[in-house]
Amino acid sequence: MAKKMEAKEWSIARTGISLLLNNKVEEAEALFDGHPHSFHVKAGRCFVLFMNALMTFENDKLQQAMTLLKDMERECASDIGWLKSMKSKVFRTEETNKDYINKLERQIVLADSQVCSAILTLLQQELTGYVRGGWMLRKAWQVYQHAYSQILQLYQRTFGTSPSGFNTRCSTPSCNGSSYSLQSLQSPGSSEWSIPSCNGSTNHPTPVSSPSGLRSSLSMFFSLTGITSEQQTPFVEPSEVSRLMSAVSFGYGIYQLCVSLLPPSLLKVIHFLGFEGDREAGLTALMYARVSEDMRAPLATLSLLWYHTIARPFFALDGSNLRAGVNAAKQLIAECQSEFNNSALFLFFEGRIQRLESNVNDALQAYAKAVEISSQREIKLLCLHEVAWCYLIRLSYEEAYRSLTQLRQQSRWSVSFYAYLATVCCGAIGKFDIVAASYRKILNSNNRMSKETQLGLFVMRRTPKLLNQETGQPYAVLYYRLLIYELLYLWNAMPSCSAESLRGIVLECKGNRSDEPMVGLADLIEGAAYSYLGDTQASIESYRNCIKRRNPSNDANDQHVSAFALYELGTALCIINNVEEGKMVLSKAQNQYRDYDFEGRLNVRIHTSLKNFN
């Protein structure tokens, strides 16, 4: 009966998540509310709130998700903590099947909670939050390391083999002499909980050796009196073993993807891991997790869709080839049709696929349908955000302005960013009276986020450029269009522009050298447009012109122009087989500039390029 109840609880959580993804919010909430004491249902709700926070990025959603994740972490930690494990040894409490599964589940959810909290902290890009996010990831790795090792051993004992489709890189490394081990990095008193290390017997791990005198003394006492951790592992149903393997694979995959996308410079500063995330291992783990019956399976699919349609193009992991992840994303959506055939969130990803394939009209239709069938404000705003970008890609400034104005009024996320985008759209169509009025509003807005995030700093640095600071008057139309092209370039959306639009961008850049917002910006944009049109030689010439115009007298301000131009030049040189010069230019871009717009994002791109051309 206990086993049936356990299975029923995670199945209920899975049903609730599926209801939410199929736009049935009220039914899902009623299901969740009907099981207030279920650990699995609470964990499922945690994952849903985390997803909502990622979608909207609004402060109240972020705080709500962070609070619930912290509560979940504390609950799990108290259930599997060091003191509780020692009490069970003192009183020789026999571990039942249900207890054993429960302990493994809580280890997984503990690590999942830490990873989700770390992702929210890192993605907020607060200048003080990177170290905190890194520390959370480090703690999560310690738990995954142990939980994954236990469950993998359980799987191998049950089935006589490792999970099919797994790469060996997905296996948790041993602690003995491995550069991947974090045991040596654990700091004293870092948390109220700890997990077993890998230096015990393979089937019966012993508690972590702690620098605490109390723990060391108690451990010695227990060993002398014969109280040890040795006990027979209870029998676990094969179906439960498979589900637990999938459950731990989900968080492990998310963890690996997250770490692999962090800037290399951040990893060096924090020293929280000592190795890079393995992107391929993360993707393999998520592909395994998505085909299970566990409640995390739909979330694993969404994570893979996010990676292929958002992360890959955003970080330019495949350069200007925005379509690199499209086929994988299409296959994922096709395989989910039976369960999520009318899901607004899956329609959103269909829109992303169409946009990456430059089918902007089809993307707009997908977003419109998603808005029509969804009752969730979060998804409606997410689609409206994409609609605005589709209009920008199509260079339809009037339509983009209307969408951005709506976002500025309805969204609680980075209102100043939407205000800036709307303002440059007005400038691009000659509505200079609105430009002047919006400029004053942006200046007067006291947005806390604008002082603490990379996006906020971007807006703060761009706002003075909206008007001529000497005369107080607006600039010419082409000036504002260059600011829009800069947005399209920095967000890696230019490759989605049509060839006709790209040729128009080249013509406007050629005629706007004297009235550009930043020295060399027109050359950088021109070079990018040439590159996306397939004319590598012309793009190289434009990038060289940009660097020549900026160095050395104009390089004190707007250094992102120089850094991105060097990155583009280095990558283009490597493409035409001038690899040595290209790598030298890439290294210069990596080492010569600091504290510029989107430095972390560019460092990820440079790091990827250097690895690809080694």
Side-chain angles (χ1 to χ4, degrees):
M1 187 71 177
K3 269 188 284 186
K4 288 184 178 180
M5 180 59 67
E6 190 75 17
K8 184 180 179 182
E9 287 187 2
W10 64 255
S11 180
I12 289 169
R14 166 75 185 252
T15 301
I17 291 172
S18 295
L19 285 170
L20 276 170
L21 294 180
N22 279 308
N23 319 313
K24 298 176 181 178
V25 180
E26 292 182 1
E27 293 95 323
E29 288 297 329
L31 186 66
F32 286 148
D33 291 341
H35 300 81
H37 304 298
S38 167
F39 172 79
H40 291 86
V41 171
K42 185 176 180 181
R45 176 170 258 163
C46 236
F47 293 140
V48 169
L49 282 174
F50 167 71
M51 188 173 64
N52 282 342
L54 282 183
M55 285 194 296
T56 63
F57 234 66
E58 295 178 349
N59 284 333
D60 58 337
K61 298 289 184 184
L62 289 168
Q63 290 306 314
Q64 185 182 11
M66 289 291 282
T67 299
L68 191 55
L69 286 166
K70 287 296 180 186
D71 289 344
M72 198 82 238
E73 181 181 343
R74 280 191 290 270
E75 180 179 333
C76 294
S78 65
D79 285 341
I80 60 174
W82 181 86
L83 188 57
K84 189 165 185 175
S85 69
M86 296 310 278
K87 284 170 65 179
S88 68
K89 291 170 196 144
V90 172
F91 297 106
R92 293 186 177 274
T93 305
E94 186 173 345
E95 191 171 47
T96 66
N97 171 288
K98 181 179 178 182
D99 292 336
Y100 184 61
I101 295 174
N102 195 48
K103 183 174 71 175
L104 293 175
E105 287 270 18
R106 276 160 171 72
Q107 286 185 27
I108 297 168
V109 174
L110 172 61
D112 289 345
S113 300
Q114 291 167 338
V115 166
C116 291
S117 296
I119 290 172
L120 292 179
T121 301
L122 290 168
L123 287 181
Q124 288 179 71
Q125 296 182 329
E126 291 188 3
L127 303 181
T128 59
Y130 284 127
V131 174
R132 285 188 292 113
W135 182 256
M136 294 175 194
L137 285 175
R138 189 186 118 175
K139 288 201 302 179
W141 171 250
Q142 292 177 305
V143 186
Y144 279 135
Q145 188 184 45
H146 177 250
Y148 193 97
S149 177
Q150 277 191 305
I151 295 169
L152 181 61
Q153 291 164 13
L154 181 62
Y155 190 100
Q156 290 169 337
R157 287 200 304 272
T158 304
F159 298 104
T161 183
S162 296
S164 61
F166 258 56
N167 190 301
T168 55
R169 289 179 297 180
C170 293
S171 298
T172 304
S174 66
C175 291
N176 297 324
S178 170
S179 61
Y180 284 57
S181 171
L182 296 181
Q183 300 300 331
S184 60
L185 297 176
Q186 188 176 14
S187 64
S190 61
S191 178
E192 70 272 17
W193 59 268
S194 61
I195 57 167
S197 68
C198 302
N199 54 12
S201 63
T202 54
N203 293 333
H204 318 289
T206 56
V208 162
S209 174
S210 168
S212 163
L214 173 62
R215 291 190 184 184
S216 298
S217 301
L218 285 174
S219 296
M220 181 175 293
F221 169 77
F222 290 139
S223 64
L224 290 173
T225 55
I227 300 173
T228 69
S229 62
E230 296 291 331
Q231 59 184 34
Q232 184 65 38
T233 299
F235 172 76
V236 181
E237 290 286 348
S239 60
E240 278 293 280
V241 175
S242 294
R243 188 181 67 81
L244 289 170
M245 191 74 231
S246 298
V248 75
S249 297
F250 167 73
Y252 178 87
I254 293 291
Y255 170 89
Q256 291 285 19
L257 277 188
C258 179
V259 176
S260 74
L261 295 173
L262 291 176
S265 57
L266 179 61
L267 295 178
K268 293 176 184 178
V269 171
I270 297 176
H271 292 294
F272 68 94
L273 285 179
F275 73 101
E276 296 177 38
D278 191 328
R279 195 172 299 146
E280 290 305 315
L283 293 172
T284 301
L286 285 171
M287 286 296 289
Y288 179 82
R290 67 171 292 270
V291 295
S292 76
E293 295 182 351
D294 186 69
M295 62 180 173
R296 300 165 182 82
L299 303 178
T301 299
L302 289 175
S303 301
L304 288 164
L305 286 170
W306 168 84
Y307 170 75
H308 289 302
T309 66
I310 296 177
R312 284 177 77 166
F314 181 77
F315 287 102
L317 299 180
D318 308 284
S320 60
N321 182 17
L322 293 188
R323 303 183 184 186
V326 163
N327 288 336
K330 283 182 175 179
Q331 184 176 346
L332 288 167
I333 289 179
E335 292 175 1
C336 293
Q337 281 299 312
S338 59
E339 186 175 1
F340 303 109
N341 61 334
N342 203 33
S343 167
L345 196 52
F346 278 79
L347 274 172
F348 162 80
F349 283 112
E350 282 190 14
R352 287 287 305 186
I353 290 171
Q354 295 298 336
R355 178 183 139 180
L356 293 175
E357 291 189 309
S358 300
N359 301 325
V360 176
N361 288 336
D362 291 338
L364 289 170
Q365 289 178 11
Y367 295 135
K369 185 177 178 182
V371 169
E372 180 184 347
I373 66 175
S374 176
S375 60
Q376 290 180 274
R377 173 179 171 274
E378 294 86 355
I379 294 180
K380 291 178 184 289
L381 289 176
L382 191 64
C383 290
L384 185 57
H385 174 92
E386 288 295 320
V387 165
W389 276 98
C390 282
Y391 286 134
L392 286 173
I393 288 167
R394 214 162 63 176
L395 308 183
S396 302
Y397 307 122
E398 185 70 50
E399 290 92 337
Y401 169 70
R402 286 199 293 268
S403 297
L404 291 163
T405 300
Q406 190 176 347
L407 277 167
R408 185 178 59 189
Q409 294 168 348
Q410 296 180 10
S411 176
R412 293 189 290 270
W413 173 78
S414 197
V415 175
S416 59
F417 178 61
Y418 289 134
Y420 171 77
L421 290 176
T423 303
V424 292
C425 285
C426 286
I429 52 179
K431 294 185 175 181
F432 299 129
D433 55 335
I434 299 179
V435 171
S438 297
Y439 167 76
R440 287 189 289 272
K441 289 180 182 178
I442 297 173
L443 273 185
N444 292 332
S445 65
N446 185 17
N447 189 340
R448 179 178 176 272
M449 183 182 292
S450 69
K451 300 175 183 178
E452 297 182 355
T453 67
Q454 288 188 9
L455 185 60
L457 288 172
F458 173 84
V459 175
M460 289 180 68
R461 289 168 179 166
R462 293 303 179 282
T463 301
K465 299 180 185 296
L466 292 174
L467 291 181
N468 188 313
Q469 295 301 297
E470 294 181 0
T471 65
Q473 297 299 310
Y475 293 96
V477 166
L478 287 177
Y479 175 98
Y480 294 102
R481 291 188 179 181
L482 272 176
L483 288 175
I484 290 176
Y485 302 153
E486 182 198 30
L487 287 163
L488 292 172
Y489 170 75
L490 290 176
W491 269 258
N492 203 31
M494 277 184 73
S496 292
C497 292
S498 67
E500 181 183 359
S501 294
L502 290 171
R503 285 191 286 268
I505 289 173
V506 168
L507 287 175
E508 291 195 329
C509 287
K510 286 185 179 298
N512 199 25
R513 293 292 192 277
S514 61
D515 195 24
E516 57 188 350
M518 295 155 249
V519 174
L521 179 61
D523 296 290
L524 173 62
I525 300 302
E526 178 187 278
Y530 273 131
S531 175
Y532 304 143
L533 286 167
D535 193 340
T536 305
Q537 290 295 342
S539 71
I540 289 175
E541 183 179 348
S542 297
Y543 298 139
R544 291 194 189 278
N545 287 338
C546 175
I547 295 165
K548 184 178 179 181
R549 289 180 61 208
R550 289 198 58 80
N551 291 319
S553 58
N554 296 310
D555 214 22
N557 301 313
D558 308 312
Q559 292 192 0
H560 73 287
V561 177
S562 301
F564 276 92
L566 285 169
Y567 159 74
E568 295 288 1
L569 175 60
T571 304
L573 289 170
C574 289
I575 289 173
I576 64 171
N577 293 323
N578 193 348
V579 177
E580 288 307 312
E581 184 186 359
K583 288 166 68 176
M584 182 182 69
V585 173
L586 286 170
S587 297
K588 186 177 180 181
Q590 190 175 44
N591 300 320
Q592 184 167 318
Y593 298 97
R594 291 288 182 274
D595 302 322
Y596 56 86
D597 288 325
F598 303 114
E599 177 184 358
R601 189 188 309 174
L602 183 59
N603 276 331
V604 172
R605 296 183 182 184
I606 294 170
H607 183 67
T608 301
S609 293
L610 287 171
K611 283 178 63 176
N612 290 340
F613 293 113
N614 266 342

